[in-house]
Each structure stands twice: as structure tokens, then as C-alpha cells.
Coordinates of all heavy atoms in Angstrom, one line a residue:
M1 N 28.0 92.8 72.9 CA 28.8 93.9 72.6 C 29.7 94.3 73.8 O 29.4 94.0 74.8 CB 27.7 95.2 72.4 CG 27.0 95.1 71.2 SD 28.1 95.3 69.6 CE 26.9 95.2 68.4
V2 N 30.8 94.8 73.4 CA 31.9 95.2 74.3 C 32.1 96.6 74.2 O 32.1 97.2 73.1 CB 33.2 94.3 74.0 CG1 34.3 94.8 74.9 CG2 33.0 92.9 74.0
E3 N 32.4 97.2 75.4 CA 32.8 98.7 75.5 C 34.3 98.7 75.7 O 34.8 98.1 76.4 CB 32.1 99.4 76.6 CG 32.3 100.8 76.5 CD 31.5 101.7 77.5 OE1 30.3 101.7 77.4 OE2 32.0 102.3 78.5
A4 N 34.9 99.7 74.9 CA 36.3 99.9 75.0 C 36.6 101.5 75.1 O 35.8 102.2 74.4 CB 37.0 99.3 73.8
T5 N 37.7 101.8 75.8 CA 38.0 103.2 75.8 C 39.5 103.3 75.4 O 40.4 102.6 75.9 CB 37.9 103.9 77.2 OG1 36.5 103.6 77.6 CG2 38.3 105.2 77.2
L6 N 39.8 104.1 74.3 CA 41.1 104.3 73.9 C 41.7 105.7 74.1 O 40.9 106.6 73.9 CB 41.1 104.1 72.3 CG 40.6 102.8 71.8 CD1 40.6 102.7 70.3 CD2 41.6 101.6 72.3
K7 N 42.8 105.8 74.5 CA 43.5 107.1 74.7 C 44.1 107.5 73.3 O 44.8 106.7 72.7 CB 44.6 107.0 75.7 CG 45.3 108.3 76.0 CD 45.3 108.6 77.4 CE 46.1 109.9 77.7 NZ 45.2 111.1 78.0
V8 N 43.6 108.6 72.9 CA 44.0 109.1 71.6 C 44.7 110.6 71.6 O 44.1 111.5 72.2 CB 42.8 109.2 70.6 CG1 43.2 109.8 69.3 CG2 42.1 107.8 70.5
A9 N 45.9 110.6 71.2 CA 46.6 112.0 71.1 C 46.4 112.7 69.8 O 46.2 112.1 68.8 CB 48.1 111.7 71.3
G10 N 46.3 114.0 70.0 CA 46.3 114.9 68.8 C 44.9 115.5 68.5 O 44.8 116.3 67.7
M11 N 43.9 115.1 69.2 CA 42.6 115.7 69.0 C 42.5 117.1 69.8 O 42.8 117.1 71.0 CB 41.4 114.8 69.6 CG 41.4 113.5 68.8 SD 39.9 112.5 69.3 CE 40.1 112.3 71.1
H12 N 42.2 118.2 69.2 CA 42.2 119.5 69.8 C 40.9 120.2 69.8 O 40.9 121.3 70.4 CB 43.3 120.4 69.0 CG 44.6 119.8 69.0 ND1 45.5 119.6 70.2 CD2 45.4 119.2 68.1 CE1 46.6 119.0 69.9 NE2 46.6 118.7 68.7
C13 N 39.9 119.8 69.1 CA 38.8 120.6 68.9 C 37.5 119.7 68.6 O 37.7 118.5 68.3 CB 38.9 121.6 67.9 SG 39.2 120.9 66.2
P14 N 36.3 120.2 68.6 CA 35.2 119.4 68.2 C 35.3 118.8 66.8 O 34.7 117.8 66.6 CB 34.0 120.4 68.3 CG 34.5 121.4 69.4 CD 35.9 121.5 69.1
K15 N 36.0 119.5 65.9 CA 36.0 119.0 64.5 C 36.9 117.7 64.5 O 36.7 116.8 63.7 CB 36.7 120.0 63.6 CG 35.7 121.1 63.2 CD 36.4 122.1 62.1 CE 35.3 123.2 61.8 NZ 35.9 124.0 60.8
C16 N 37.9 117.7 65.4 CA 38.7 116.4 65.6 C 37.8 115.3 66.1 O 37.9 114.2 65.5 CB 39.8 116.7 66.5 SG 41.0 117.9 66.0
D17 N 37.0 115.6 67.0 CA 36.1 114.6 67.6 C 35.2 114.1 66.4 O 35.0 112.9 66.3 CB 35.1 115.2 68.6 CG 35.8 115.6 69.9 OD1 36.9 115.2 70.1 OD2 35.2 116.4 70.7
A18 N 34.7 115.0 65.5 CA 33.8 114.6 64.4 C 34.5 113.7 63.5 O 34.0 112.6 63.0 CB 33.2 115.7 63.8
R19 N 35.8 114.0 63.1 CA 36.6 113.2 62.3 C 36.8 111.8 62.7 O 36.6 110.8 62.0 CB 37.9 113.8 62.0 CG 37.9 115.1 61.0 CD 39.2 115.7 60.8 NE 40.3 114.8 60.6 CZ 41.6 115.1 60.8 NH1 42.0 116.2 61.3 NH2 42.6 114.2 60.6
V20 N 37.2 111.7 64.0 CA 37.3 110.4 64.6 C 36.1 109.6 64.6 O 36.1 108.4 64.3 CB 38.0 110.5 66.0 CG1 37.9 109.2 66.7 CG2 39.4 111.1 65.9
E21 N 35.0 110.2 65.0 CA 33.7 109.5 65.2 C 33.2 109.1 63.8 O 32.8 107.9 63.7 CB 32.7 110.4 65.8 CG 32.9 110.7 67.3 CD 31.9 111.7 67.9 OE1 31.2 112.3 67.2 OE2 32.0 111.9 69.2
K22 N 33.4 109.8 62.8 CA 33.0 109.4 61.4 C 33.9 108.2 61.0 O 33.3 107.3 60.5 CB 33.2 110.6 60.5 CG 32.7 110.3 59.1 CD 32.8 111.5 58.2 CE 32.4 111.1 56.8 NZ 32.5 112.2 55.8
A23 N 35.1 108.3 61.2 CA 36.0 107.2 60.8 C 35.8 105.9 61.5 O 35.7 104.8 60.9 CB 37.4 107.7 60.9
V24 N 35.6 106.0 62.8 CA 35.4 104.8 63.6 C 33.9 104.2 63.4 O 33.9 103.0 63.3 CB 35.6 105.1 65.1 CG1 35.1 103.9 66.0 CG2 37.0 105.5 65.3
S25 N 33.0 105.1 63.2 CA 31.6 104.5 63.0 C 31.5 103.8 61.6 O 30.7 103.0 61.4 CB 30.6 105.6 63.0 OG 30.8 106.6 62.0
A26 N 32.5 104.0 60.7 CA 32.5 103.4 59.4 C 33.0 102.0 59.5 O 32.9 101.2 58.6 CB 33.3 104.1 58.4
V27 N 33.7 101.7 60.6 CA 34.3 100.3 60.8 C 33.1 99.3 61.0 O 32.3 99.4 61.9 CB 35.4 100.3 62.0 CG1 35.9 99.0 62.2 CG2 36.5 101.2 61.7
V28 N 33.2 98.2 60.3 CA 32.2 97.2 60.5 C 32.4 96.6 61.8 O 33.5 96.2 62.3 CB 32.3 96.0 59.4 CG1 31.4 94.9 59.6 CG2 32.1 96.6 58.1
G29 N 31.2 96.4 62.6 CA 31.3 95.8 64.0 C 31.2 96.9 65.0 O 31.0 96.5 66.2
V30 N 31.3 98.2 64.7 CA 31.2 99.2 65.7 C 29.8 99.6 65.7 O 29.1 100.0 64.8 CB 32.1 100.4 65.4 CG1 31.9 101.6 66.2 CG2 33.6 100.0 65.3
A31 N 29.2 99.6 67.0 CA 27.8 100.0 67.3 C 27.7 101.5 67.6 O 26.7 102.1 67.2 CB 27.2 99.1 68.3
S32 N 28.6 102.0 68.4 CA 28.6 103.4 68.7 C 29.9 103.9 69.1 O 30.9 103.1 69.5 CB 27.6 103.6 70.0 OG 28.1 103.0 71.1
V33 N 30.2 105.2 68.9 CA 31.5 105.9 69.3 C 31.3 107.2 69.7 O 30.4 107.9 69.2 CB 32.4 105.7 68.0 CG1 31.8 106.5 66.8 CG2 33.8 106.3 68.4
K34 N 32.1 107.7 70.6 CA 32.0 109.0 71.2 C 33.5 109.4 71.4 O 34.3 108.8 72.2 CB 31.3 109.1 72.5 CG 31.3 110.4 73.2 CD 30.5 111.4 72.3 CE 30.5 112.8 73.1 NZ 30.5 113.9 72.2
A35 N 33.9 110.5 70.8 CA 35.3 111.0 70.9 C 35.2 112.3 71.9 O 34.2 113.1 71.8 CB 35.9 111.4 69.6
D36 N 36.2 112.5 72.7 CA 36.3 113.6 73.6 C 37.7 114.2 73.6 O 38.6 113.7 74.2 CB 35.9 113.1 75.0 CG 35.9 114.2 76.0 OD1 36.3 115.4 75.7 OD2 35.4 114.0 77.2
H37 N 37.8 115.3 72.9 CA 39.2 115.9 72.7 C 39.7 116.4 74.0 O 40.8 116.5 74.2 CB 39.2 116.9 71.6 CG 38.3 118.2 71.9 ND1 36.9 118.2 71.8 CD2 38.7 119.3 72.4 CE1 36.5 119.4 72.2 NE2 37.6 120.1 72.6
E38 N 38.8 116.8 74.9 CA 39.2 117.4 76.2 C 39.9 116.4 77.1 O 40.8 116.7 77.7 CB 38.1 118.1 76.9 CG 37.6 119.3 76.0 CD 36.4 120.1 76.7 OE1 35.9 119.5 77.8 OE2 36.0 121.1 76.3
A39 N 39.4 115.2 77.0 CA 39.9 114.0 77.8 C 40.9 113.1 77.0 O 41.4 112.3 77.6 CB 38.8 113.2 78.3
D40 N 41.0 113.4 75.7 CA 41.8 112.6 74.8 C 41.4 111.1 74.8 O 42.2 110.2 74.9 CB 43.3 112.7 75.2 CG 43.9 114.1 75.0 OD1 43.4 114.7 74.1 OD2 44.9 114.4 75.7
L41 N 40.1 110.9 74.8 CA 39.5 109.6 74.9 C 38.5 109.4 73.7 O 37.8 110.2 73.4 CB 38.8 109.3 76.2 CG 39.6 109.3 77.5 CD1 38.8 109.2 78.7 CD2 40.8 108.3 77.5
V42 N 38.4 108.2 73.3 CA 37.5 107.6 72.3 C 36.8 106.4 73.0 O 37.5 105.4 73.3 CB 38.0 107.3 71.0 CG1 37.0 106.7 70.1 CG2 38.6 108.6 70.3
T43 N 35.5 106.5 73.2 CA 34.9 105.4 73.9 C 33.9 104.7 72.7 O 33.2 105.5 72.1 CB 33.9 105.9 75.0 OG1 34.8 106.5 76.0 CG2 33.3 104.6 75.7
L44 N 34.0 103.5 72.7 CA 33.2 102.8 71.6 C 32.6 101.5 72.1 O 33.0 100.9 73.1 CB 34.0 102.4 70.4 CG 35.1 101.6 70.6 CD1 35.2 100.5 69.4 CD2 36.5 102.3 70.6
T45 N 31.4 101.0 71.5 CA 30.8 99.7 71.6 C 31.0 99.0 70.4 O 30.7 99.6 69.2 CB 29.4 99.9 72.1 OG1 29.3 100.8 73.3 CG2 28.7 98.6 72.3
Y46 N 31.5 97.8 70.5 CA 31.8 97.0 69.3 C 31.5 95.5 69.5 O 31.2 95.2 70.7 CB 33.2 97.3 68.8 CG 34.3 96.7 69.6 CD1 34.9 95.6 69.2 CD2 34.6 97.2 70.9 CE1 36.0 95.0 70.0 CE2 35.6 96.7 71.6 CZ 36.3 95.5 71.1 OH 37.3 95.0 71.9
D47 N 31.6 94.8 68.5 CA 31.3 93.3 68.5 C 32.2 92.4 69.3 O 31.9 91.2 69.4 CB 31.1 92.8 67.1 CG 32.4 92.8 66.3 OD1 33.5 93.1 66.8 OD2 32.3 92.7 65.1
G48 N 33.2 93.0 69.9 CA 34.1 92.2 70.7 C 35.3 91.4 69.9 O 36.1 90.8 70.5
Q49 N 35.3 91.5 68.6 CA 36.3 90.8 67.8 C 37.6 91.7 67.8 O 37.6 92.9 67.7 CB 35.8 90.8 66.4 CG 34.6 89.9 66.2 CD 34.8 88.4 66.7 OE1 35.9 87.8 66.4 NE2 33.9 87.9 67.4
P50 N 38.7 91.0 68.1 CA 40.0 91.7 68.1 C 40.3 92.4 66.9 O 40.9 93.5 66.8 CB 41.1 90.6 68.4 CG 40.3 89.6 69.1 CD 38.9 89.6 68.5
S51 N 39.9 91.8 65.7 CA 40.1 92.4 64.4 C 39.3 93.8 64.3 O 39.8 94.7 63.7 CB 39.7 91.5 63.3 OG 38.4 91.1 63.3
T52 N 38.2 93.8 64.9 CA 37.4 95.2 64.9 C 38.2 96.2 65.6 O 38.3 97.4 65.1 CB 36.0 95.0 65.5 OG1 35.3 93.9 64.8 CG2 35.2 96.2 65.5
L53 N 38.7 95.9 66.8 CA 39.5 96.9 67.5 C 40.8 97.3 66.7 O 41.1 98.4 66.7 CB 39.8 96.4 68.9 CG 40.1 97.4 69.9 CD1 39.2 98.5 70.1 CD2 40.3 96.7 71.4
D54 N 41.4 96.3 66.1 CA 42.5 96.6 65.2 C 42.1 97.7 64.1 O 42.9 98.6 63.8 CB 43.2 95.4 64.6 CG 43.9 94.5 65.7 OD1 44.2 95.0 66.8 OD2 44.0 93.3 65.4
A55 N 40.9 97.4 63.5 CA 40.5 98.3 62.4 C 40.1 99.6 63.0 O 40.3 100.7 62.3 CB 39.3 97.7 61.7
V56 N 39.6 99.7 64.2 CA 39.3 101.0 64.8 C 40.6 101.8 65.0 O 40.7 103.0 64.7 CB 38.6 100.8 66.1 CG1 38.6 102.1 67.0 CG2 37.2 100.3 65.9
R57 N 41.7 101.1 65.5 CA 42.9 101.8 65.7 C 43.4 102.3 64.4 O 44.0 103.4 64.3 CB 44.0 100.9 66.4 CG 43.7 100.6 67.8 CD 44.8 99.8 68.5 NE 44.6 99.6 69.9 CZ 44.1 98.4 70.4 NH1 43.8 97.3 69.6 NH2 43.9 98.3 71.7
A58 N 43.4 101.6 63.4 CA 43.9 101.9 62.0 C 43.1 103.1 61.5 O 43.6 104.0 60.9 CB 43.7 100.7 61.0
A59 N 41.7 103.1 61.7 CA 40.9 104.2 61.3 C 41.3 105.5 62.0 O 41.3 106.6 61.4 CB 39.5 103.9 61.6
I60 N 41.6 105.4 63.2 CA 42.0 106.6 64.0 C 43.3 107.1 63.4 O 43.6 108.3 63.2 CB 42.0 106.3 65.4 CG1 40.6 106.1 66.0 CG2 42.7 107.5 66.3 CD1 40.5 105.6 67.4
T61 N 44.3 106.2 63.2 CA 45.6 106.6 62.8 C 45.5 107.2 61.3 O 46.2 108.1 61.1 CB 46.5 105.3 62.8 OG1 46.5 104.7 64.1 CG2 48.0 105.6 62.3
E62 N 44.6 106.7 60.6 CA 44.5 107.2 59.2 C 44.0 108.7 59.2 O 44.1 109.4 58.3 CB 43.5 106.4 58.4 CG 44.2 105.0 58.0 CD 43.1 104.1 57.3 OE1 42.0 104.4 57.1 OE2 43.5 102.9 57.1
Q63 N 43.4 109.1 60.3 CA 43.0 110.4 60.5 C 44.0 111.3 61.1 O 43.8 112.5 61.5 CB 41.7 110.5 61.3 CG 40.6 109.8 60.7 CD 40.1 110.4 59.4 OE1 40.0 111.6 59.3 NE2 40.0 109.6 58.3
D64 N 45.3 110.8 61.2 CA 46.4 111.5 61.7 C 46.4 111.8 63.2 O 46.9 112.8 63.7 CB 46.6 112.9 60.9 CG 46.9 112.7 59.5 OD1 47.7 111.6 59.2 OD2 46.5 113.4 58.7
F65 N 45.8 110.9 64.0 CA 45.8 110.9 65.4 C 46.5 109.6 65.9 O 46.7 108.7 65.1 CB 44.3 111.0 65.9 CG 43.6 112.2 65.6 CD1 42.6 112.0 64.6 CD2 44.0 113.3 66.0 CE1 41.9 113.2 64.2 CE2 43.2 114.5 65.5 CZ 42.2 114.4 64.6
A66 N 47.1 109.7 67.1 CA 47.8 108.6 67.6 C 47.0 107.8 68.7 O 46.6 108.5 69.6 CB 49.2 109.0 68.1
V67 N 46.9 106.5 68.6 CA 46.3 105.8 69.6 C 47.4 105.3 70.5 O 48.4 104.7 70.2 CB 45.6 104.5 69.1 CG1 44.9 103.7 70.2 CG2 44.5 104.9 68.0
E68 N 47.3 105.7 71.8 CA 48.4 105.4 72.7 C 48.0 104.1 73.5 O 46.7 103.8 73.8 CB 48.4 106.5 73.8 CG 48.8 107.8 73.2 CD 48.8 109.0 74.2 OE1 48.5 108.8 75.4 OE2 49.2 110.1 73.7
D69 N 49.0 103.3 73.8 CA 48.8 102.0 74.5 C 48.8 102.1 75.9 O 49.2 103.0 76.6 CB 49.9 101.0 74.2 CG 49.8 100.7 72.7 OD1 48.7 100.5 72.1 OD2 50.8 100.4 72.1

């Protein structure tokens, strides 16, 4: 398993955290996820496949948040 931290813009409250966590946890290959709207970060543990990380970025974007590079 690999840990990654993504900078995510647009999260403003605990409900935003919950939306992101729900979406990311549904991605196959993700073992755990924690969103923090105060730090604008999403930390996750996943299988290390680049396609999984791409799917995580897409899941966050689909929730109307922006993953910053």
C-alpha cells in the first residue's frame, strides 16, 4: 500500500469532508481516506496503481472540488 496526500480546493466544512471521503472510498484500490477541509488536504492509502490515483482525482472532481497539482 502507498500513502498519498492531495491538495484539494473548495472544501469548506465537515460535510465537504464527508462527500470527498465517501466518493474516494468507493474507488477500487483505496484502503483508507481522510479529508481535512481546514488544511485543504485529502490523505489516502491505496494500492499504488497510477490508474487508482487517477480515479481518485476524478472522484474528487465529480464532487465539484478541484485537485491541485
Side-chain angles (χ1 to χ4, degrees):
M1 290 293 181
V2 176
E3 186 172 297
T5 301
L6 302 173
K7 181 122 175 106
V8 178
M11 298 186 301
H12 301 291
C13 65
K15 286 185 180 182
C16 295
D17 293 344
R19 281 178 48 203
V20 169
E21 289 173 358
K22 182 177 179 180
V24 172
S25 66
V27 174
V28 174
V30 173
S32 66
V33 59
K34 177 68 177 143
D36 181 351
H37 68 278
E38 292 177 356
D40 294 329
L41 297 175
V42 174
T43 304
L44 63 133
T45 304
Y46 70 106
D47 60 11
Q49 298 298 316
S51 59
T52 302
L53 200 51
D54 291 342
V56 166
R57 287 186 178 103
I60 293 170
T61 302
E62 288 172 5
Q63 295 301 311
D64 296 322
F65 302 107
V67 179
E68 299 178 356
D69 292 326

